Amino acid sequence: MIFLSTLLLAVLITISTIPVLSMAAKHYNIAVDLPGERKVHTGAVPRIGGIAMAIGVFGPIIYWLQNERFLFAYLAASLVIIIFGALDDIRDLSPKIKFAGQIIAALIVFYAGDVQISSLGMLLPEPFNVLPPWASLILTLLAIVGATNAINLSDGLDGLAGGICILIFSALAYISYLEGQSTIGLISLALAGSLFGFLKFNTHPATIFMGDAGSQFLGFSAATLSISLSQNTQVLSQVMPLLLLGFPILDTLTVMVSRITQGRSPFSADKNHFHHHLLGLGMHHSESVVAIYFFQTVLIISAIVFRYYPDWMLLGVYVLFSGLILYFFDRARRNNWRTTQFKYLNISFTARIRMIKRNGTLIKRAFPAFVYGVPLLLISTCLMAKSLPMNLDIAALALAAVIVFCWVYARKWLNTSIRVTLYLLIPFAVYLSETRADHLLEGIFRSGFNTLYGLFAVLILIISKFSRRSNRFRSSPMDFLIIIIAVAVPNLPNNLLLEYQYGLVAAKIIMLYFCFEVLLSELRNKDHLIAGSTVAMLLVMAYK
């Protein structure tokens, strides 16, 4: 429950903090990103996402983790990174000052947190693989500062840097769990949770940017946590951090080498990043983001699968991956590839989909089953739990009272109160139905009940794709991340995870989140059904 609570607290704190900071930034005209030649957005967007994420991360990890040297060093260094990043968002600091802040943060975790690259594993023969203190300091600073700027420079499209980092921190959380590194695992979960909350506002078209405070915080955290994890365990490959951060590092190195060969400063601005090349191929914004998610996913899977393999093998995997990526972009540039050349392949398929959508028969039959079935599915999930933790009944009654009050006296807050309640209720209901289920509800009944979740997942696709409402739920690159995690978690090769069925719990939670997001979009201004069913769910939880 500590891991689940950390994830959920980070999500909720971030989601609730962003609107407040956004209004303040717009009101005082502080840290607002204006449109420009090198930018893809057309309106002014606040750059306060990084501050909200930091609050979302710091809250749960300070509550759960205490009196740990590494934790204090990480928090102090992160605070330095965030302060310098926020000042850069407000005043546009010079590169020297930004590097100074990054170096200070790296020195803090090096000396106070013992985050040091002291060994190169099997990349060099003994005793040369163990670095002297001065070499360890230089290499650690280069790694942390380099990774910090790599994530910062990858933040060029809506949802791009955040999505890449969700994959990184999810992998770090899983590997940390396997290695018994609970501190790194909880910090990684808090970071992943805050990013889920942030991406709700940052998927295209974004209403919030993370700013330099956010991108540098994420890059610094990814480098610090991965170095600490790989260097403090005897069995993990020392090259694993390179795979975890592989795509942003490759992008940054490629751009800098290109600038140097052209006789320009490696820190000058241009449009030569990989995401610019994908846009140049004719891909849409979301397609470019998903393509990079896919590349990063390949590296993440490689890092997890090969984490115990020899260091030279992991380095070879990364070199091969980098070579293929560079070859692809070079061929695309030389041959002037355009994705529009292949659009004729799906003309027939697209026309058939449009015909089904205009006809409306499929959506008319599926929608009623979805509208009434989803609340009943969650109520049934609540009923399956045998016993509840202490004080959960009081919390459920309090939330029910809030919804009833908003329903009667403050309708403008009803949708928000329902959404917040569901984000709290769904994880607990699903978790308790799987780990504290009534023994009378096992066997064939549970198998059939689990099958219903799969059927409603299909209904989600039908409703979201064939609805003709202008305000319908629309998919985004974040959905790709959720699908990856939903598919990966149940198949993680670890007996403890399977024993507690965390994979099934995660998949059901994600599916229900999707279902209710679709309902809230489709039933806008007709939320009495969701309000009534949510109150009923809370009363069931209180009774249990």
Side-chain angles (χ1 to χ4, degrees):
M1 289 299 291
I2 291 178
F3 286 94
L4 184 60
S5 300
T6 298
L7 182 67
L8 294 176
L9 279 173
V11 173
L12 293 171
I13 291 173
T14 305
I15 286 178
S16 60
T17 305
I18 283 177
V20 177
L21 293 178
S22 178
M23 288 188 292
K26 290 179 178 179
H27 180 75
Y28 294 104
N29 196 29
I30 297 176
V32 176
D33 196 1
L34 300 175
E37 181 182 351
R38 295 178 50 252
K39 299 175 181 179
V40 297
H41 61 283
T42 57
V45 181
R47 294 182 291 186
I48 50 77
I51 306 297
M53 284 191 291
I55 296 172
V57 172
F58 289 0
I61 64 175
I62 291 175
Y63 180 79
W64 289 119
L65 302 174
Q66 299 177 3
N67 299 323
E68 292 197 31
R69 177 184 173 187
F70 169 78
L71 175 63
F72 290 143
Y74 168 76
L75 291 176
S78 296
L79 189 60
V80 171
I81 283 286
I82 292 165
I83 290 173
F84 274 81
L87 290 174
D88 187 36
D89 290 329
I90 297 171
R91 296 174 176 257
D92 289 328
L93 302 179
S94 68
K96 291 182 180 179
I97 297 178
K98 288 193 287 188
F99 276 119
Q102 295 166 7
I103 292 172
I104 292 172
L107 288 172
I108 291 174
V109 292
F110 182 88
Y111 287 109
D114 198 28
V115 179
Q116 304 178 9
I117 303 178
S118 56
S119 171
L120 296 179
M122 291 182 285
L123 293 178
L124 294 176
E126 295 182 356
F128 302 104
N129 61 338
V130 179
L131 300 176
W134 63 268
S136 175
L137 173 61
I138 293 174
L139 187 57
T140 304
L141 291 181
L142 285 174
I144 294 178
V145 172
T148 300
N149 285 284
I151 298 296
N152 183 31
L153 293 174
S154 72
D155 188 26
L157 296 178
D158 296 344
L160 182 55
I164 290 173
C165 289
I166 277 187
L167 294 170
I168 294 172
F169 293 125
S170 297
L172 279 171
Y174 171 58
I175 298 172
S176 301
Y177 175 81
L178 295 183
E179 299 302 318
Q181 299 286 332
S182 59
T183 300
I184 295 176
L186 284 171
I187 294 174
S188 299
L189 276 178
L191 285 159
S194 69
L195 280 165
F196 269 116
F198 167 73
L199 284 176
K200 177 177 174 60
F201 303 89
N202 188 242
T203 50
H204 186 68
T207 58
I208 290 295
F209 291 156
M210 65 174 65
D212 279 359
S215 58
Q216 291 186 43
F217 172 51
L218 294 177
F220 172 80
S221 298
T224 300
L225 297 178
S226 59
I227 291 172
S228 179
L229 178 62
S230 60
Q231 291 288 322
N232 291 327
T233 55
Q234 300 296 322
V235 293
L236 290 177
S237 170
Q238 310 300 308
V239 184
M240 185 188 69
L242 180 62
L243 289 182
L244 291 175
L245 290 143
F247 197 84
I249 290 175
L250 176 63
D251 184 24
T252 300
L253 290 176
T254 303
V255 170
M256 287 191 169
V257 169
S258 174
R259 292 168 182 169
I260 292 173
T261 56
Q262 295 173 8
R264 297 188 293 122
S265 167
F267 306 107
S268 60
D270 57 26
K271 285 191 173 184
N272 286 322
H273 288 280
F274 288 150
H275 58 265
H276 291 130
H277 292 313
L278 290 172
L279 292 172
L281 290 176
M283 286 188 174
H284 296 300
H285 186 290
S286 297
E287 293 170 342
S288 302
V289 173
V290 170
I292 294 177
Y293 286 174
F294 174 77
F295 294 142
Q296 181 65 24
T297 300
V298 172
L299 287 174
I300 291 294
I301 293 173
S302 300
I304 293 175
V305 172
F306 300 121
R307 65 187 182 277
Y308 298 134
Y309 281 67
D311 299 307
W312 279 109
M313 181 176 177
L314 270 74
L315 185 60
V317 169
Y318 183 66
V319 171
L320 176 62
F321 172 87
S322 301
L324 291 174
I325 293 294
L326 295 176
Y327 176 76
F328 167 78
F329 282 111
D330 182 66
R331 285 292 303 274
R333 180 181 58 82
R334 291 178 182 272
N335 297 319
N336 198 29
W337 287 354
R338 292 292 182 271
T339 56
T340 52
Q341 297 170 358
F342 306 98
K343 285 187 177 180
Y344 71 91
L345 295 174
N346 64 2
I347 290 176
S348 177
F349 176 77
T350 303
R352 186 174 294 273
I353 293 296
R354 288 176 178 172
M355 184 183 69
I356 295 173
K357 189 172 181 178
R358 284 196 301 267
N359 182 272
T361 303
L362 182 60
I363 190 71
K364 288 177 183 177
R365 293 177 178 176
F367 192 65
F370 186 79
V371 169
Y372 295 101
V374 170
L376 287 174
L377 184 64
L378 184 51
I379 291 175
S380 301
T381 301
C382 296
L383 286 169
M384 289 182 69
K386 185 177 181 180
S387 59
L388 303 182
M390 186 181 300
N391 296 328
L392 191 58
D393 53 346
I394 299 175
L397 289 173
L399 288 171
V402 170
I403 291 178
V404 171
F405 176 83
C406 293
W407 197 355
V408 177
Y409 298 105
R411 291 298 294 267
K412 67 177 181 179
W413 295 104
L414 180 58
N415 189 278
T416 301
S417 64
I418 291 173
R419 181 174 269 108
V420 171
T421 298
L422 289 172
Y423 269 80
L424 286 169
L425 173 63
I426 287 172
F428 282 100
V430 173
Y431 176 83
L432 294 171
S433 70
E434 291 295 330
T435 59
R436 298 189 183 189
D438 193 316
H439 69 280
L440 297 175
L441 303 176
E442 298 298 329
I444 297 177
F445 177 83
R446 178 172 286 278
S447 299
F449 188 71
N450 290 339
T451 303
L452 284 176
Y453 274 86
L455 294 176
F456 277 99
V458 175
L459 284 176
I460 291 174
L461 296 176
I462 294 174
I463 301 298
S464 60
K465 294 300 180 185
F466 295 104
S467 174
R468 291 180 291 181
R469 287 179 169 84
S470 59
N471 61 349
R472 70 184 187 276
F473 177 84
R474 289 179 171 84
S475 60
S476 69
M478 186 177 176
D479 304 344
F480 178 78
L481 297 173
I482 293 174
I483 291 171
I484 290 175
I485 295 171
V487 171
V489 171
N491 296 289
L492 294 176
N494 184 264
N495 291 332
L496 289 176
L497 287 176
L498 294 177
E499 178 183 352
Y500 290 102
Q501 296 180 296
Y502 281 168
L504 188 59
V505 168
K508 286 185 174 181
I509 290 172
I510 291 168
M511 202 282 294
L512 284 173
Y513 276 163
F514 264 82
C515 283
F516 278 99
E517 284 292 345
V518 172
L519 277 182
L520 289 169
S521 296
E522 292 290 325
L523 298 179
R524 198 179 300 271
N525 300 323
K526 298 178 182 179
D527 43 21
H528 56 277
L529 175 62
I530 303 179
S533 59
T534 304
V535 171
M537 299 169 204
L538 292 168
L539 294 178
V540 168
M541 294 291 283
Y543 174 77
K544 298 292 286 188

